[in-house]
Amino acid sequence: MWLQLRCGLEPRALAALTVVLVAAAVFAATHLWSARPGSVRAPERVSEAAHAPVAETDTGGDGGGDAGGAGTPEPAPGTPPATGPGGQVVVDVSGKVRRPGIHRLPAGARVADALRVAGGARPGVDLDSLNRARVLMDGEQIVVGAPPGPTDAGGTGGGVGPTAAAGPVSLNTATMEQLETLPGVGPVLAQHIVDHRTQHGGFRSVDELREVNGIGDRRFADLQPLVRP
């Protein structure tokens, strides 16, 4: 009434002004409530455990070994120079081992680990030409028991790879021990080669090696560049 008498407002104008003031007060209160400071919860720390890949072995060739030398190797420290898919290295272990063939090991494994999954070297084999502490590379070949040859530019050491052989082995004059230095040739297969050359008067060509019992196409392909008549 005082405001109406003071300002000369009509009842309708006074009611409209009252509604506007109430709406403004409600809007101001809502704005202040939404802008108030709030507490923020600190994020939780999450730790993930690293799991080492499990070694898989795909063996081939002749013979089976004892269980003592076939344990799964633990990955060696350090970063390997080359790895295959899945953080593993695939190597070909051949020569005088109990289980020659293709083996898969964790990245960072050493030559000693490859010998262990291959069942270990046969009794009496000299391993001085192998650097058993060297880190393996994906796709390499390890020939156990081959005569030491010149070291390659990468410094991998004698006895590893096809360059380790001193020269082609003569099928007509090689002894049993010399034949066993060839990849995948053990005492049994070496005896078959000697028996074949005795029965047929020697080898006239390397292709006649296919006729020896125990030598298939794959093994012949491995032996062909390493032998001569």
Side-chain angles (χ1 to χ4, degrees):
M1 292 294 292
W2 178 84
L3 184 60
Q4 182 179 7
L5 295 175
R6 181 70 177 176
C7 299
L9 298 175
E10 296 181 357
R12 291 183 178 180
L14 181 60
L17 179 60
T18 302
V19 171
V20 172
L21 293 177
V22 171
V26 172
F27 176 78
T30 303
H31 179 72
L32 292 176
W33 178 261
S34 62
R36 75 187 191 285
S39 60
V40 179
R41 184 179 180 182
E44 297 181 357
R45 299 180 60 184
V46 179
S47 61
E48 297 181 357
H51 300 279
V54 180
E56 299 179 1
T57 301
D58 179 15
T59 60
D62 56 346
D66 52 10
T72 301
E74 295 291 337
T79 303
T83 60
Q88 293 183 332
V89 290
V90 181
V91 296
D92 181 8
V93 184
S94 60
K96 297 182 179 181
V97 291
R98 292 186 174 91
R99 289 195 301 274
I102 304 298
H103 300 278
R104 294 176 175 86
L105 298 101
R110 313 258 176 181
V111 173
D113 299 326
L115 294 177
R116 185 159 54 249
V117 298
R122 293 175 180 171
V125 176
D126 186 11
L127 298 178
D128 291 341
S129 60
L130 288 175
N131 180 8
R132 284 164 281 179
R134 181 176 57 81
V135 178
L136 294 172
M137 296 182 63
D138 184 55
E140 74 168 280
Q141 182 186 38
I142 302 173
V143 182
V144 180
T151 304
D152 58 13
T156 57
V160 178
T163 59
V169 176
S170 174
L171 297 174
N172 292 323
T173 61
T175 62
M176 290 277 295
E177 290 76 14
Q178 291 173 334
L179 291 173
E180 289 179 22
T181 62
L182 296 172
V185 177
V188 176
L189 187 54
Q191 185 63 51
H192 289 336
I193 296 175
V194 173
D195 293 342
H196 185 275
R197 79 183 181 192
T198 301
Q199 296 171 4
H200 297 82
F203 290 87
R204 289 177 293 274
S205 66
V206 176
D207 291 337
E208 292 183 12
L209 195 60
R210 295 176 181 268
E211 303 173 6
V212 177
N213 183 23
I215 296 182
D217 293 338
R218 180 177 178 182
R219 182 159 294 175
F220 175 78
D222 295 335
L223 296 176
Q224 185 178 18
L226 304 177
V227 297
R228 59 182 176 84

